[in-house]
Amino acid sequence: MQEAMKVIVSGGGTGGHVFPAIAIANAIKAERPDTEILFVGAKGRMEMDKVPAAGYEIEGLNVIGLDRKRWWKNLTLPFKLISSLWSVRKLIKRFAPDVVVGVGGYASGPTLYIAGLMGIPYLIQEQNSFPGLTNRLLAKRARKICVDYEDMEQFFPKDRILMTGNPIRQDIVDLEGKRAAAFEHFGLNPDKPVLLVIGGSLGAGSINRAMLNNMDEIMASGCQILWQTGGYYYEQVMSMIPALRAGLLIKDFIKNMDLAYAMADVVVSRAGAIAISELCVVGKPVILVPSPNVAEDHQTKNALALSARNAAILLPDDKVYGELGKTVVELMQNSRRKELMAENISRMGKTTSAQDIAKWVFRIAEEDAIARFGR
């Protein structure tokens, strides 16, 4: 009888790290239900809520990221890093994982580093076209690095790169037949088109400001709006809207994203790696507004990869305030362009990424067991 495996999944900070981590864990459990999975995240970050809600145990590290704008915030960073390294060492000794999966975010670095020192094999899941310094350094000891973009050998050892794509939530893969339920859930009119506006799990200030400036123009065209502001911006946005009206639904966070996608006719979104991966599977016409506040401007590179294939419209962040309304209305009213964009973006979707990564998790653990114990 095969022994139950133990897996640590580490990372988080934003939905772009948390949701792929949960998707991988779900795929592992679907393949081998007896697998023990422990998450390691950062205290105070969104994974500490989202992971338990998904049914998994999580341990939080007292770790923070480098603040490039406010240097004084970094004074405690070395002490918190050392504390996190000690915490991870004790955690790994207690849990004794067969393999560790790192998805990026504050907690992932210390966890993979200590796992490597302790001889525990690990796998990196890199979502972006330009990986951060931590993952580039950790890749030297990684058994495999799972990526979504070509030409990643400039950052990682070529023989360890796996082109798996980015894992997304299974409920988003399965949108068939959900449209009617979506309108009922959100209370919108099924006879009118819907614009879905999402700025990432934490929200996007420029998109929110653009929506406030262009909302009347969009709604005057007959569109309904489902708008996720992000928790940080919600109260501010609500205070600037005189009164809610029929066909306008504003949320700080949308829990049922599968229903939101199923209902949407057009989507406005940031161009983060996981958002892109979800949108390709969803197959809806999308207007991408890349965030300018990311390393190496990788969101613009992500958006260009789609717009060059007529799979999305790229609306630069510095133009969204004045041009969002016009762009949305023109796209909503151009049925042929919507159809072409939906077809083109759908061709880029990968639906089995989480399952493919899970298979490699099992393979790495089994190869390590054979190397150690001859079994």
Side-chain angles (χ1 to χ4, degrees):
M1 184 175 174
Q2 195 175 40
E3 290 182 17
M5 271 184 44
K6 291 185 176 183
V7 179
I8 284 179
V9 180
S10 183
T14 66
H17 296 308
V18 175
F19 296 129
I22 293 172
I24 293 169
N26 288 343
I28 290 170
K29 278 288 194 180
E31 183 72 21
R32 297 190 189 173
D34 62 343
T35 305
E36 293 183 48
I37 298 177
L38 175 66
F39 278 75
V40 178
K43 290 180 179 177
R45 306 296 292 186
M46 69 181 294
E47 60 265 29
M48 301 307 293
D49 294 322
K50 301 299 179 188
V51 168
Y56 296 101
E57 181 185 351
I58 186 167
E59 296 278 353
L61 302 180
N62 189 26
V63 64
I64 58 173
L66 183 68
D67 194 321
R68 291 177 172 82
K69 294 181 179 178
R70 297 166 294 182
W71 61 266
W72 61 91
K73 294 275 189 180
N74 298 320
L75 296 176
T76 61
L77 195 151
F79 305 101
K80 290 188 175 183
L81 179 57
I82 292 168
S83 169
S84 294
L85 292 170
W86 276 107
S87 295
V88 168
R89 187 175 182 276
K90 288 191 289 184
L91 207 158
I92 288 177
K93 285 186 74 175
R94 172 174 61 83
F95 187 71
D98 296 287
V99 63
V100 176
V101 178
V103 298
Y106 300 149
S108 186
T111 306
L112 295 189
Y113 177 72
I114 293 297
L117 288 182
M118 296 176 72
I120 309 295
Y122 63 81
L123 173 150
I124 292 172
Q125 199 276 310
E126 173 57 61
Q127 296 101 26
N128 294 302
S129 57
F130 189 91
L133 176 61
T134 302
N135 271 359
R136 298 205 300 271
L137 294 172
L138 290 167
K140 295 173 183 177
R141 286 188 175 181
R143 295 294 175 89
K144 294 294 177 183
I145 304 104
C146 299
V147 303
D148 189 43
Y149 292 89
E150 303 283 354
D151 304 321
M152 295 299 278
E153 57 267 21
Q154 60 183 309
F155 307 113
F156 300 133
K158 186 176 182 179
D159 61 334
R160 281 175 258 170
I161 295 173
L162 298 171
M163 194 67 159
T164 59
N166 285 326
I168 64 173
R169 293 167 277 183
Q170 190 61 36
D171 60 350
I172 289 172
V173 175
D174 303 324
L175 294 188
E176 191 70 32
K178 290 185 177 180
R179 187 171 169 85
F183 279 103
E184 185 175 345
H185 176 79
F186 289 110
L188 295 179
N189 186 344
D191 297 323
K192 290 186 176 182
V194 175
L195 173 69
L196 172 62
V197 182
I198 43 178
S201 56
L202 303 179
S206 60
I207 292 177
N208 288 334
R209 288 189 290 274
M211 281 300 299
L212 288 167
N213 188 50
N214 292 268
M215 184 174 59
D216 290 341
E217 180 182 356
I218 294 168
M219 295 196 76
S221 71
C223 286
Q224 301 174 102
I225 298 172
L226 174 55
W227 174 7
Q228 176 180 281
T229 64
Y232 182 80
Y233 300 99
Y234 180 73
E235 296 296 338
Q236 179 186 5
V237 166
M238 294 303 289
S239 70
M240 299 180 74
I241 294 177
L244 288 179
R245 62 190 94 169
L248 173 63
L249 186 57
I250 302 174
K251 301 274 190 181
D252 58 343
F253 184 80
I254 299 172
K255 294 179 181 177
N256 302 89
M257 274 306 301
D258 58 327
L259 297 182
Y261 281 133
M263 186 176 63
D265 293 279
V266 169
V267 181
V268 172
S269 174
R270 281 300 198 204
I274 299 303
I276 293 280
S277 296
E278 290 187 351
L279 290 163
C280 288
V281 169
V282 167
K284 297 292 179 82
V286 60
I287 298 164
L288 294 172
V289 186
S291 170
N293 306 312
V294 293
E296 300 298 315
D297 198 22
H298 68 248
Q299 286 205 9
T300 297
K301 293 172 185 173
N302 293 347
L304 282 167
L306 270 68
S307 63
R309 294 170 172 83
N310 193 25
I313 293 172
L314 195 168
L315 183 58
D317 194 76
D318 60 358
K319 294 184 177 179
V320 67
Y321 185 83
E323 297 183 15
L324 181 62
K326 175 187 174 185
T327 307
V328 167
V329 172
E330 286 181 355
L331 181 57
M332 279 286 191
Q333 295 175 348
N334 189 334
S335 298
R336 183 59 186 146
R337 188 174 189 191
K338 283 192 294 183
E339 288 172 11
L340 281 172
M341 286 174 62
E343 288 172 11
N344 291 339
I345 198 170
S346 292
R347 291 194 188 101
M348 302 171 70
K350 296 171 185 168
T351 60
T352 63
S353 298
Q355 291 83 353
D356 294 342
I357 293 168
K359 287 174 183 174
W360 275 101
V361 170
F362 298 134
R363 181 169 169 178
I364 289 167
E366 286 160 4
E367 287 176 351
D368 188 69
I370 291 168
R372 285 170 181 261
F373 311 112
R375 59 178 176 83

